[in-house]
């Protein structure tokens, strides 16, 4: 009978029991170990497969090339490992486990910090380190001496009876350990804050141009979910000059033509009107209030002027072209939206040091502007069909037609050097290639969590060093009065591998035996 | 500007180092072959002074292997002595090679796998040599020098690259800090992994008891390995942090999940798991040491496979 009763009542207790059991499992060291290893393994696919967040083009290409496995892997999150549900599950469980571990340990440690070292065991010979000796004198004296010796060695000392002394030190070890684990939690909080309230934006700015930090002015703007887009600090940056230095000294070296340095000389006006000049370099970002400006790209922006038949300017300015190789063979698009009745545009190739290779056609043979040339073909039609946004570097030619030479025999090809101009067919006016500017590619980022992350990382490191170098040691002294002399037993124990423990125990014994001899 | 003569000298220093370390390896091998298996008797003796009273504190001067000292034949001792001196010389020559290379390319000489290997070999030798100052680790010499010889051979054949300059994203003072500490910790992990492997084999007496009795007991090997790892791990933690700081300056974001970053993180996590496993009561020491070996395997993957095959922002390291 009682058996069936138990069966009925068990499930109720079971739920709580299971939860408690589950929690204990989750916060056990074994689970933490398992999850740590799982996290390591889980991170690996992200280095094997291309990641969408880093390189969307290569990812799409990879999936296209692997028709069968590609889509499957995509479903499993192989191309977005660090945002995938399973990766998130691993680190979330790990951090729940971590918190579930820190909290009780902190309270245990807090109590330990305020309590006395425990009573000395009966037989110190059994401890992992032991030494003994004999001194003349009485037990009280020796006990006081032992207390003094241990205090001098920075032990916390207590006597639970007349004939023994208990001492402990190295509490900082556990403190360091808790600091380390807690800092891991705050580090993750810092990362999360950066994700939620941070934003990043990119912008291409030719020499002589400027921009104001507002959402609409940026070429791309990627805000975290909780960013208030109107709260950006509207500082203005003008690129006074963009300089680049390439290795041109040893044409035979493998590094010939490789970049040595890039520098954007900028004039900054802060939100409050405070103006100053500075420079932005690779490895040397510009720290602004509320954002940091990084120089991540550079290239050429040919300056062209397009006029209509009457000499009215339709388009004028430096248009950034995107470098395709180390010698800055660059492609770009010039979109003359102001033209009427029909819009037109140019797809162009800019070559800083132009050379017509018999096999490859027009290429650039050096990254600096030694003999620049601009090659273009022309398209008429609608520039922005359906008002779709498009990259500044390309022309969507889907609803455009390629312009032919006046005799209709071939597609129109323009080849201009600086200062040169050309007349466009069908009375569309003229185009002149006025010169070249360099542009600076800035990445502007705001990460409100970075300070917390950095300080947490440093705290974790400090905690780690503390916990790994400090040893938690207990030393006990027992005294036995044997007539005129006292037998001194010193024993030591440690939670850790403690090669130095025996030495310390022996030193303490020596000090006691030596001291009381002289006294 | 690359100075050809200095670059030449760097290669000469490297070749001399390889030669010297190879001879050191042979001497260490001779030492191990000739040192008689004496552990049993001496460990029994060694216990005596611990509990005997009086001022005689002779605290285990040899550290892990304090026990083998006396009975080693003179010839073996001599071989080990020569090997020890040659190890220092080899380390110095490796340093010289790094310095020459740095002067030749006028930058910090840690910009590609070849240079990492030379510096890693240097640090592994230094770690070993410094360890010899603190305890008797002559038994370890042959293993470390063999590994270093192998590494130098592969580096100077398969991974060799001409002295060259660097692309601008590498020009930062965080570079020397980040990569020096990374290479130093790799040097420590190399020695740690060797000792862990020896422990795992010794523990099982792989290939015959006799040989393992020339080495310290399995338990002390394990402790020695741990003491190396707890130096290496904080240094690797620092590497990770310095790398993140550098990444932010160079690429605008402190963490990009670039393959090299992923593997630095994976290595860190695996070694953290090792320390955890070692502190977990119901996980065996063998398991913990297997995790340490796995950590080292990740380092090897990081420096070889990741450098050559995975595309990322670090791929200039090829
Ligand atoms: C984010 C994941 C974690 C990392 C990277 C990590 C890392 C470490 C490291 C490196 C140590 C060695 C330091 C030392 O020996 O004192 C350690 C020790 C320790 N960890 Fe963790 N840990 C993590 C999560 C956890 C969790 C979830 C728990 C709770 C179950 C935990 C409990 C402990 C304990 C109790 C020690 C001390 C062991 C001892 O020395 O007796 N850790 N941890």
């Amino acid at each position: 009978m009682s058996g069936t009763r138990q069966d009925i009542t068990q499930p109720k207790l079971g739920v709580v029991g299971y939860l408690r059991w589950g929690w204990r499992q989750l916060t056990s060291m074994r689970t933490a170990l398992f999850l740590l290893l799982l996290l390591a393994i889980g991170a690996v696919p992200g280095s094997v497969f291309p990641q969408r967040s880093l390189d969307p083009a290569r990812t799409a290409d990879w999936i296209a090339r692997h028709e069968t496995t590609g889509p499957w892997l995509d479903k499993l999150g192989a191309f977005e490992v660090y945002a995938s549900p399973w990766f998130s599950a691993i680190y979330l469980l790990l951090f729940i486990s971590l918190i579930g571990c820190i909290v009780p340990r902190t309270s245990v440690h807090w109590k330990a910090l305020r309590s006395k070292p425990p009573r000395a065991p009966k037989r110190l010979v059994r401890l992992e380190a032991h030494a003994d000796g004999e001194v003349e004198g009485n037990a009280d004296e020796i006990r006081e001496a032992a207390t003094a010796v241990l205090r001098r060695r920075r032990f916390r000392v207590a006597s639970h009876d007349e004939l023994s002394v208990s001492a402990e030190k190295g509490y900082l070890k556990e403190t360091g350990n808790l600091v380390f684990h807690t800092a891991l939690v705050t580090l993750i909080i810092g990362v999360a804050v950066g994700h939620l309230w941070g934003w990043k934006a990119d912008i291409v700015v030719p020499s002589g141009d400027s921009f104001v930090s507002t959402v609409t002015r940026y070429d791309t703007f990627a805000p975290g979910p909780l960013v208030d887009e109107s709260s950006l600090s509207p500082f203005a940056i003008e690129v006074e000059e963009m300089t680049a230095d390439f290795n041109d000294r040893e044409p035979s070296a493998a590094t010939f033509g490789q970049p040595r340095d890039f520098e954007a000389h900028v004039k900054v006006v802060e939100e409050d009107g405070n103006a100053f000049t500075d420079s932005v370099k690779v490895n040397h970002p510009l720290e602004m209030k509320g954002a940091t400006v990084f120089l991540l790209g550079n290239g050429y922006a040919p300056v062209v002027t397009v006029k209509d038949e009457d000499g009215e300017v339709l388009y004028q300015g430096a248009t950034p072209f995107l470098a395709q190789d180390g010698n800055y063979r660059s492609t770009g698009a010039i979109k003359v939206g102001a033209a009427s009745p029909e819009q037109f545009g140019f797809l162009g190739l800019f070559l800083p040091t132009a050379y017509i290779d018999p096999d490859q056609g027009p290429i650039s043979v050096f990254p600096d502007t030694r003999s620049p040339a601009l090659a273009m073909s022309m398209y008429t039609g609608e520039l922005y069909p359906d008002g779709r946004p498009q990259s500044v570097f390309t022309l969507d030619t889907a609803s455009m037609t390629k312009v032919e030479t006046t005799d209709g025999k071939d597609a129109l090809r323009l080849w201009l050097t600086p200062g040169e101009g050309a007349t466009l067919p069908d009375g569309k006016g003229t185009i002149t290639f006025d010169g070249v500017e360099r542009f600076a590619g800035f990445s502007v980022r705001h990460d409100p969590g970075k300070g917390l992350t950095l300080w947490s990382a440093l705290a974790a490191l400090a905690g780690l060093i503390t916990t790994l170098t400090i040893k938690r040691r207990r030393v006990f002294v027992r005294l036995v009065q044997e007539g005129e002399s006292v037998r001194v037993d010193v024993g030591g124990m440690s939670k850790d591998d403690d090669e130095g423990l025996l030495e310390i125990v022996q030193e303490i014994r020596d000090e006691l035996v030596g001291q009381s001899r002289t006294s | 500007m690359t100075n050809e003569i200095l670059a030449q000298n760097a290669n000469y220093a490297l070749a001399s180092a390889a030669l010297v370390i190879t001879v050191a390896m042979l001497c260490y091998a001779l030492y191990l072959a000739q040192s008689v298996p004496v552990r049993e008797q001496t460990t029994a003796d060694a216990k005596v002074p611990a509990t005997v009273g009086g001022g005689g504190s002779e605290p285990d001067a040899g550290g892990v292997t304090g026990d083998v000292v006396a009975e080693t034949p003179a010839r073996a001792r001599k071989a080990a002595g020569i090997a020890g001196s040659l190890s220092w010389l080899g380390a110095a020559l490796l340093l010289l090679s790094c310095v020459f290379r740095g002067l030749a390319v006028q930058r910090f000489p840690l910009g590609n796998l070849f240079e990492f290997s030379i510096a890693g070999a240097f640090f592994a030798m230094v770690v070993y040599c410094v360890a010899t100052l603190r305890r008797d680790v002559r038994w370890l010499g042959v293993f470390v020098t063999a590994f270093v010889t192998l590494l130098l051979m592969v580096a100077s054949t398969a991974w060799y690259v001409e002295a060259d300059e660097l692309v601008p994203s590498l020009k930062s003072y965080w570079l020397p800090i980040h990569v020096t500490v990374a290479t130093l910790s790799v040097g420590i992990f190399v020695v740690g992994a060797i000792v862990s492997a020896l422990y795992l084999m010794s523990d099982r007496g792989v290939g015959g008891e006799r040989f393992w009795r020339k080495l310290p007991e399995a338990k002390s090997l394990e402790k020695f390995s741990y003491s190396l790892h707890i130096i290496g791990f904080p240094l690797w933690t620092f590497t990770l942090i310095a790398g993140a700081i550098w990444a932010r300056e160079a690429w605008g974001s402190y963490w990009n999940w670039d393959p090299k970053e992923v593997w630095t993180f994976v290595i860190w996590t695996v070694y953290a798991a090792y320390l955890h496993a070692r502190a977990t009561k119901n996980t065996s020491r063998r398991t913990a040491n297997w995790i340490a070996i796995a950590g080292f395997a990740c380092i090897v993957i990081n420096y070889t496979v990741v450098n050559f095959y995975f595309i990322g922002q670090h791929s200039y390291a090829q």
Side-chain angles (χ1 to χ4, degrees):
Chain A
M1 278 312 268
S2 65
T4 47
R5 277 200 114 155
Q6 258 183 2
D7 284 347
I8 293 162
T9 50
Q10 221 168 21
K12 230 180 167 184
L13 286 172
V15 174
V16 180
Y18 267 116
L19 281 177
R20 194 171 288 162
W21 178 83
W23 178 250
R24 226 180 297 131
Q25 290 302 306
L26 183 61
T27 54
S28 77
M29 287 271 294
R30 275 190 92 130
T31 311
L33 172 59
F34 174 73
L35 288 172
L36 264 176
L37 286 172
L38 206 60
L39 185 70
I41 295 166
V44 171
S47 72
V48 177
F49 300 111
Q51 296 296 294
R52 203 163 270 139
S53 57
L54 285 180
D55 195 343
R58 207 163 64 82
T59 309
D61 181 55
W62 201 97
I63 298 173
R65 272 189 295 117
H66 299 78
E67 278 174 32
T68 41
T69 49
W72 266 105
L73 287 169
D74 198 9
K75 275 196 196 108
L76 292 174
F79 306 108
E80 273 153 314
V81 167
Y82 309 107
S84 68
W86 51 267
F87 192 76
S88 314
I90 298 173
Y91 71 72
L92 282 178
L93 279 176
L94 189 57
F95 276 88
I96 294 170
S97 159
L98 189 53
I99 293 165
C101 199
I102 293 170
V103 174
R105 273 175 63 201
T106 307
S107 81
V108 168
H109 186 49
W110 181 247
K111 282 188 199 122
L113 276 179
R114 291 178 309 161
S115 59
K116 286 196 228 164
R119 183 177 291 276
K122 277 259 139 39
R123 304 200 41 193
L124 299 184
V125 197
R126 293 219 183 123
L127 299 186
E128 57 187 270
H130 175 254
D132 54 16
E134 242 177 60
V135 239
E136 284 172 23
N138 71 43
D140 268 351
E141 263 172 47
I142 311 293
R143 188 166 52 97
E144 264 161 44
T147 307
V149 164
L150 288 163
R151 286 241 164 88
R152 206 173 325 120
R153 286 175 173 266
R154 309 249 191 108
F155 277 89
R156 176 178 299 182
V157 188
S159 266
H160 293 271
D161 55 55
E162 317 276 88
L163 293 173
S164 77
V165 181
S166 306
E168 181 160 3
K169 76 176 206 176
Y171 295 87
L172 211 53
K173 183 185 184 69
E174 180 69 359
T175 310
N177 192 308
L178 288 170
V179 166
F180 170 73
H181 286 87
T182 311
L184 292 182
V185 176
T186 53
L187 187 147
I188 290 296
I189 294 174
V191 172
V193 167
H195 266 284
L196 295 173
W197 284 281
W199 51 264
K200 59 179 182 182
D202 297 306
I203 189 163
V204 163
V205 190
S207 277
D209 268 16
S210 61
F211 74 97
V212 177
S213 175
T214 54
V215 173
T216 46
R217 180 63 178 87
Y218 286 117
D219 298 336
T220 65
F221 186 77
L226 300 179
V227 170
D228 172 9
E229 300 192 354
S230 62
S231 71
L232 268 61
S233 163
F235 55 83
I237 291 180
E238 181 188 339
V239 178
E240 295 186 311
E241 199 191 359
M242 173 74 208
T243 56
D245 179 23
F246 299 99
N247 180 5
D248 60 355
R249 272 151 280 219
E250 314 152 71
S252 61
T255 49
F256 179 69
Q258 281 195 357
R260 289 161 171 278
D261 211 358
F262 300 110
E263 188 166 358
H265 303 268
V266 294
K267 198 166 131 192
V268 185
V269 183
E270 288 178 311
E271 190 178 3
D272 55 13
N274 179 27
F276 59 91
T277 57
D278 204 336
S279 77
V280 191
K281 293 199 270 190
V282 180
N283 282 323
H284 181 74
L286 175 65
E287 302 283 352
M288 301 289 301
K289 206 171 115 262
T292 311
V293 182
F294 298 89
L295 179 67
L296 290 194
N298 71 94
Y300 291 102
V303 183
V304 296
T305 306
V306 181
K307 291 181 182 165
D308 68 9
E309 248 187 325
D310 308 325
E312 197 85 27
V313 174
L314 296 174
Y315 181 96
Q316 184 167 42
T319 312
F321 276 40
L322 193 63
Q324 304 294 319
D325 61 23
N327 283 329
Y328 287 73
R329 175 180 169 273
S330 313
T331 57
I334 293 162
K335 298 166 189 175
V336 190
S340 64
E342 206 179 17
Q343 293 180 319
F344 59 87
F346 301 89
L347 259 183
L349 191 62
F350 174 76
L351 309 164
T353 301
Y355 172 74
I356 312 274
D357 187 86
D359 301 323
Q360 303 167 56
I363 55 164
S364 171
V365 291
F366 191 74
D368 218 340
T369 47
R370 291 189 168 171
S371 58
L374 182 62
M376 286 183 294
S377 49
M378 184 175 170
Y379 292 82
T380 58
E382 233 186 310
L383 281 173
Y384 304 97
D386 317 323
R388 256 182 282 138
Q390 43 173 276
S391 157
V392 290
F393 298 113
T394 58
L395 201 60
D396 181 358
T397 57
S399 41
M400 304 190 89
T401 47
K402 204 166 189 173
V403 175
E404 299 183 332
T405 48
T406 346
D407 56 15
K409 277 188 182 146
D410 201 358
L412 175 72
R413 284 208 190 89
L414 300 169
W415 178 275
L416 303 174
T417 52
E420 268 188 315
T423 307
L424 302 171
D426 308 328
K428 293 215 181 296
T430 58
I431 181 166
T432 48
F433 176 23
D434 305 325
V436 195
E437 295 285 0
R438 280 184 207 279
F439 71 77
F442 290 123
S443 185
V444 184
R445 300 180 188 231
H446 172 57
D447 181 352
K450 65 171 191 280
L452 182 59
T453 304
L454 179 62
W455 286 112
S456 302
L458 296 177
L461 182 59
L464 186 67
I465 293 172
T466 308
T467 190
L468 291 178
T469 48
I470 288 181
K471 298 252 189 300
R472 183 102 177 234
R473 287 169 172 152
R474 280 183 185 160
V475 170
F476 303 103
V477 179
R478 268 198 181 283
L479 309 166
V480 182
Q481 186 85 47
E482 290 171 341
E484 285 293 278
S485 61
V486 179
R487 231 181 84 82
V488 179
D489 264 307
V490 186
M493 56 195 283
S494 171
K495 276 189 181 171
D496 324 292
D497 294 325
D498 196 344
E499 285 179 16
L501 186 62
L502 181 60
E503 197 177 335
I504 286 174
V505 164
Q506 286 171 343
E507 278 171 19
I508 291 170
R509 188 266 325 272
D510 293 347
E511 276 176 52
L512 283 176
V513 171
Q515 218 174 42
S516 35
R517 259 182 204 149
T518 53
S519 67
Chain B
M1 208 179 71
T2 305
N3 186 321
E4 306 278 333
I5 297 166
L6 285 172
Q8 246 332 307
N9 283 337
N11 288 346
Y12 289 145
L14 177 58
S16 323
L19 188 71
V20 165
I21 293 170
T22 309
V23 177
M25 176 182 77
L26 295 176
C27 291
Y28 274 130
L30 206 65
Y31 162 77
L32 258 200
Q34 293 188 340
S35 80
V36 280
V38 282
R39 208 172 60 210
E40 264 103 341
Q41 306 112 278
T42 44
T43 38
D45 297 343
K47 283 218 179 93
V48 181
T51 41
V52 166
S57 79
E58 221 269 278
D60 213 3
V64 181
T65 54
D67 26 16
V68 196
V69 186
E71 275 88 292
T72 309
R75 272 206 326 179
R77 275 210 310 275
K78 204 163 185 181
I82 294 171
S85 310
L86 288 178
S87 298
W88 280 106
L89 181 61
L93 284 167
L94 285 173
L95 179 63
L96 195 66
S97 176
C98 291
V99 171
F100 273 140
R101 185 131 175 138
L103 290 173
V105 294
Q106 295 180 3
R107 63 167 164 80
F108 205 71
L110 273 170
N112 53 53
L113 181 56
F114 170 72
E115 294 169 0
F116 279 132
S117 312
I118 306 308
F122 163 69
F123 279 122
M125 290 304 293
V126 168
V127 170
Y128 172 71
C129 288
V130 169
T132 60
L133 298 179
R134 309 197 53 197
R135 29 175 131 206
D136 179 5
V137 284
R138 288 176 294 184
W139 49 271
L140 181 58
V142 65
F143 304 102
V144 175
T145 47
F147 179 88
V148 167
T149 308
L150 200 72
L151 177 64
L152 292 180
M153 245 159 58
V154 176
S156 50
T157 52
W159 300 335
Y160 182 74
V161 287
E162 292 289 337
D164 240 338
E165 290 171 59
L166 284 185
V167 298
S169 72
L170 295 179
K171 276 191 193 162
S172 162
Y173 54 88
W174 284 107
L175 167 75
I177 298 173
H178 167 70
V179 293
T180 309
V181 178
T183 320
L184 168 62
S185 29
V186 168
I188 295 171
F189 286 139
V190 164
V191 182
I194 291 174
V195 180
S196 276
L198 290 175
Y199 157 71
L200 287 167
M201 290 190 284
S202 167
D203 190 38
R204 286 284 149 95
V206 173
E209 284 283 308
R210 221 185 103 75
F211 174 74
W212 297 110
R213 262 186 275 135
K214 299 182 178 187
L215 269 50
E217 288 177 78
K219 226 173 94 190
S220 3
L221 287 175
E222 204 276 336
K223 283 187 182 173
F224 181 36
S225 161
Y226 175 70
S227 60
L228 286 165
H229 281 105
I230 59 170
I231 304 171
F233 185 71
L235 288 171
W236 193 258
T237 309
F238 178 82
T239 301
L240 196 60
I241 297 171
I245 295 174
W246 174 30
R248 191 185 105 90
E249 295 210 335
W251 304 323
S253 166
Y254 60 79
W255 199 259
N256 303 284
W257 291 112
D258 160 269
K260 222 43 214 253
E261 288 177 344
V262 172
W263 280 87
T264 305
F265 172 74
V266 167
I267 292 164
W268 185 81
T269 314
V270 174
Y271 279 113
Y274 160 72
L275 293 183
H276 244 215
R278 212 171 167 287
T280 309
K281 286 196 184 56
N282 43 12
T283 302
S284 77
R285 288 285 150 96
R286 286 188 67 83
T287 311
N289 278 272
W290 275 115
I291 298 176
I293 302 270
F296 184 67
C298 290
I299 291 181
V300 174
I301 293 173
N302 184 34
Y303 278 90
T304 55
V305 181
V306 179
N307 271 341
F308 286 119
Y309 297 107
F310 297 167
I311 298 165
Q313 287 161 308
H314 272 84
S315 36
Y316 43 70
Q318 295 176 13

